[in-house]
Amino acid sequence: MTIYRYIVIIACFLFSQYRASNGLQETSYDGTCEPIQVAMCNGLVNYNTTKLPNKFGHATQAQVYWALQPWWPFIDTGCSDNLRNFLCGLFLPKCVGNNVEPHYPCAETCKKAKVRCKKQMRMQSFKWSKDFRCGKLLPKDSHRCIKPEREGKKKQNKEYNLCQKNTLPMCQGIPFTFGSLPNAYLQGDQSEIAKEMRQYQALLSTRCSENLKLFLCGVYMPYCIEGPKAHTANNANNELQDVDNKIPFVVPCREMCQEVYDQCSKEYHKLAGGLPWPAKLHCHRFPTSLEYHYKHRTNASTGVNGDRMTCTMPLPN
């Protein structure tokens, strides 16, 4: 099973939890602005506050959280520079003042996202929602909607970059300095990944777990570690030489994930206004540690098995 098919299966499962009503609803504009907390949108769109209920009838960001889950694979693969703005703007409209109608995406924002992503969705047996009707949205010249961004060249990660320098700001100072991209969510741009990781800075500040940073960095940019030295004969003098044996795509083990979850989920719940632990960080996504480990010189242990994903655990102090 390819990683693309695996991600789409997850998306289809989550889509079964999608509770949007048939068609957009008229909503009241009473109420006040509230900070955006949903991980898919927090700090990743060009506005920070929203107003609910939205036109799907979602009254809380917890409801929006579940409604948006089916769409994260397509946002991460980067089929359109406007898909995140469109989806976040549709479910978490931009608040422009109390008791004032919030701004939804412009019709042009919708059309750009649809044109760029519809083919990829169709290839994965995933349909553009009938509720996402671009013609029902305001045009950008109304100046009362979220305008589209210029679409860049499509980024396609056809090949995995087995080992590259990890330049993510949050990951500086961890034992591993190299990582592999794209990650399990098909994100391949370190600058875009860094933007998404910023939303965990407040959680890191609580010091809820000493392994939180190691876990997050391994999720967003799986580690490239040095394995045992391999030996090969030098053709010139037939002497044995050591050859680096790098192991790419080493992710955190499920045990590390569970430890971080147990120690940090309550803090995240409070910081995120009651939202659940992010779906990308659910522990069932990660392999368990393996029976045999070898010690890595950067004070971590790793397990290797040809039939299973390699994972890493910190060694006890």
Side-chain angles (χ1 to χ4, degrees), residues 16-88:
S16 67
Q17 302 182 56
Y18 180 41
R19 294 294 182 264
S21 60
N22 294 324
L24 302 182
Q25 302 176 356
E26 292 296 326
T27 59
S28 169
Y29 304 130
D30 296 338
T32 58
C33 302
E34 59 182 90
I36 292 176
Q37 302 286 2
V38 176
M40 191 181 292
C41 308
N42 181 11
L44 298 170
V45 291
N46 60 4
Y47 60 98
N48 300 315
T49 58
T50 186
K51 183 186 290 186
L52 296 173
N54 60 26
K55 290 188 176 182
F56 294 106
H58 300 125
T60 67
Q61 292 197 49
Q63 292 174 325
V64 171
Y65 169 91
W66 289 112
L68 281 174
Q69 287 307 300
W71 305 101
W72 65 255
F74 301 104
I75 289 178
D76 286 345
T77 55
C79 58
S80 168
D81 293 331
N82 283 287
L83 184 60
R84 189 190 303 272
N85 287 336
F86 169 67
L87 291 171
C88 293

Side-chain angles (χ1 to χ4, degrees), residues 166 171 173-179 214 223-226 250 296 298-302 312-313:
N166 186 330
C171 301
I174 61 172
F176 306 107
T177 57
F178 289 86
L214 184 67
Y223 300 121
C224 181
I225 67 172
E226 292 182 10
V250 179
H296 183 254
T298 55
N299 199 34
S301 60
T302 55
T312 185
M313 287 285 290

Side-chain angles (χ1 to χ4, degrees), residues 37-165:
Q37 302 286 2
V38 176
M40 191 181 292
C41 308
N42 181 11
L44 298 170
V45 291
N46 60 4
Y47 60 98
N48 300 315
T49 58
T50 186
K51 183 186 290 186
L52 296 173
N54 60 26
K55 290 188 176 182
F56 294 106
H58 300 125
T60 67
Q61 292 197 49
Q63 292 174 325
V64 171
Y65 169 91
W66 289 112
L68 281 174
Q69 287 307 300
W71 305 101
W72 65 255
F74 301 104
I75 289 178
D76 286 345
T77 55
C79 58
S80 168
D81 293 331
N82 283 287
L83 184 60
R84 189 190 303 272
N85 287 336
F86 169 67
L87 291 171
C88 293
L90 198 61
F91 287 89
L92 293 169
K94 180 180 180 179
C95 189
V96 292
N98 298 333
N99 303 316
V100 179
E101 180 180 6
H103 287 186
Y104 285 86
C106 300
E108 292 85 350
T109 307
C110 175
K111 290 175 183 177
K112 284 179 178 289
K114 183 177 181 180
V115 167
R116 282 293 188 106
C117 297
K118 189 175 181 179
K119 182 178 179 180
Q120 181 177 333
M121 291 178 178
R122 189 186 303 118
M123 289 173 61
Q124 304 297 340
S125 302
F126 201 85
K127 295 182 179 179
W128 186 262
S129 173
K130 293 180 180 179
D131 290 334
F132 298 171
R133 290 174 286 184
C134 302
K136 296 291 185 179
L137 298 170
L138 293 173
K140 64 180 181 180
D141 58 12
S142 69
H143 304 293
R144 292 188 291 116
C145 58
I146 301 171
K147 295 182 179 181
E149 294 184 2
R150 176 178 293 181
E151 291 281 0
K153 186 177 181 180
K154 286 187 178 181
K155 300 174 182 177
Q156 295 182 344
N157 298 305
K158 295 182 179 180
E159 296 182 359
Y160 286 96
N161 191 331
L162 296 184
C163 292
Q164 60 178 284
K165 181 74 173 179

Side-chain angles (χ1 to χ4, degrees), residues 234-246:
N234 185 310
N235 292 332
N237 50 27
N238 206 33
E239 293 180 354
L240 290 179
Q241 292 182 326
D242 288 338
V243 177
D244 287 338
N245 182 21
K246 293 188 182 300

